[in-house]
Amino acid sequence: MTITDAPAAARPSLRDRLRSDTREAHEALDASFADMFGDAEGARYRRFLRMNHLAHEAIEPILSGSPLDWTGRDAPDAGRLAAVRRDAEAIGLPPEPAPGFPIENPDLPEALGIAYVLEGSRLGAKFMLRALKREGAGSGDPWPTAYLEASSDARPFAHLIERMDAEPMNEGMVRRAVSAADETFRFFQRLAEDSATRTIRV
Ligand code: HEM
């Protein structure tokens, strides 16, 4: 994406801006799940699944109704929500209503920022799946991995970045995208913290 009011030599892409301006929020989320697979009881993995389950339930319908046309050309391959629902059930998480997402009617820049966070989480999933296979998952039943497997395909993220690059954006729009991405990371963080304070049976 071209940031039209910046000088040509100094034009970062929208993806560059999103990555640098949300780095802190991403690192905080990473830290909440440190050593997830070293926890043989699986409590951290259950928290991870709960966070992702509720986040996808809340965010996917909002992106579907957004100018990003999430159900059309820009839709991710369907299946991450279905996969995380399957994992949540398999690991015994109780059914819960979808939480409210703070940006109910995003405009296009905001939808791009929200989708960046949701689709970018695919990049970490590939590493997590590898770690889970390497480090094992406790001594009980194998942990369900449908969500991590469905998330390991990074092509929808690449497609989203192409879409960003094709969209002319001024600085105000870039800021709205960054702010929505930051809000999305904080939404995930709240879900992670909320899961941590619950008694989640193993
Ligand atoms: C919980 C543990 C997590 C770990 C260990 C992790 C790790 C990673 C890693 C290693 C990358 C870089 C991959 C690469 O360069 O190919 C990455 C990228 C990314 N992750 Fe995570 N991640 C985690 C959770 C999440 C979650 C839950 C989200 C979304 C809410 C997220 C959003 C992103 C985004 C947006 C990027 C792309 C950054 C860019 O523009 O390059 N991550 N993650």
Side-chain angles (χ1 to χ4, degrees), residues 76-135:
D77 58 334
R80 285 220 294 168
L81 177 55
V84 77
R85 280 179 180 156
R86 281 206 301 283
D87 282 354
E89 196 184 339
I91 211 161
L93 288 168
E96 288 181 69
F101 185 68
I103 307 171
E104 287 175 14
N105 291 302
D107 61 14
L108 181 62
E110 289 172 324
L112 287 170
I114 297 165
Y116 166 78
V117 177
L118 201 68
E119 292 300 303
S121 70
R122 291 171 179 276
L123 302 187
K126 198 174 54 187
F127 293 95
M128 284 181 245
L129 194 57
R130 251 185 249 148
L132 193 153
K133 288 184 172 156
R134 195 176 54 237
E135 293 168 30

Side-chain angles (χ1 to χ4, degrees), residues 15 19 26 29-30 33 48 51-52 116-117 120-121 123-124 126-128 157 185 188:
R15 194 265 183 100
R19 181 171 36 201
H26 181 255
L29 202 50
D30 269 16
F33 292 98
F48 175 77
M51 170 188 78
N52 283 295
Y116 166 78
V117 177
S121 70
L123 302 187
K126 198 174 54 187
F127 293 95
M128 284 181 245
F157 181 72
F185 268 117
F188 271 81

Side-chain angles (χ1 to χ4, degrees), residues 32-190:
S32 311
F33 292 98
D35 196 26
M36 183 156 65
F37 303 115
D39 163 29
E41 300 285 276
R44 265 172 254 164
Y45 188 56
R46 292 163 68 89
R47 273 176 51 208
F48 175 77
L49 286 177
R50 178 178 180 270
M51 170 188 78
N52 283 295
H53 179 210
L54 295 180
H56 279 268
E57 294 282 5
I59 294 172
E60 288 203 17
I62 285 176
L63 287 178
S64 298
S66 79
L68 187 52
D69 186 19
W70 203 242
T71 50
R73 195 173 66 77
D74 296 308
D77 58 334
R80 285 220 294 168
L81 177 55
V84 77
R85 280 179 180 156
R86 281 206 301 283
D87 282 354
E89 196 184 339
I91 211 161
L93 288 168
E96 288 181 69
F101 185 68
I103 307 171
E104 287 175 14
N105 291 302
D107 61 14
L108 181 62
E110 289 172 324
L112 287 170
I114 297 165
Y116 166 78
V117 177
L118 201 68
E119 292 300 303
S121 70
R122 291 171 179 276
L123 302 187
K126 198 174 54 187
F127 293 95
M128 284 181 245
L129 194 57
R130 251 185 249 148
L132 193 153
K133 288 184 172 156
R134 195 176 54 237
E135 293 168 30
S139 51
D141 292 336
W143 295 347
T145 54
Y147 179 67
L148 287 181
E149 277 163 38
S151 301
S152 292
D153 178 2
R155 282 172 299 183
F157 181 72
H159 175 59
L160 180 70
I161 300 302
E162 280 166 22
R163 171 72 201 268
M164 285 180 188
D165 288 342
E167 205 65 54
M169 290 245 172
N170 61 35
E171 177 62 20
M173 293 157 96
V174 170
R175 287 192 185 159
R176 277 212 303 288
V178 166
S179 159
D182 200 55
E183 186 72 64
T184 307
F185 268 117
R186 283 190 276 130
F187 180 70
F188 271 81
Q189 188 72 52
R190 283 197 297 279

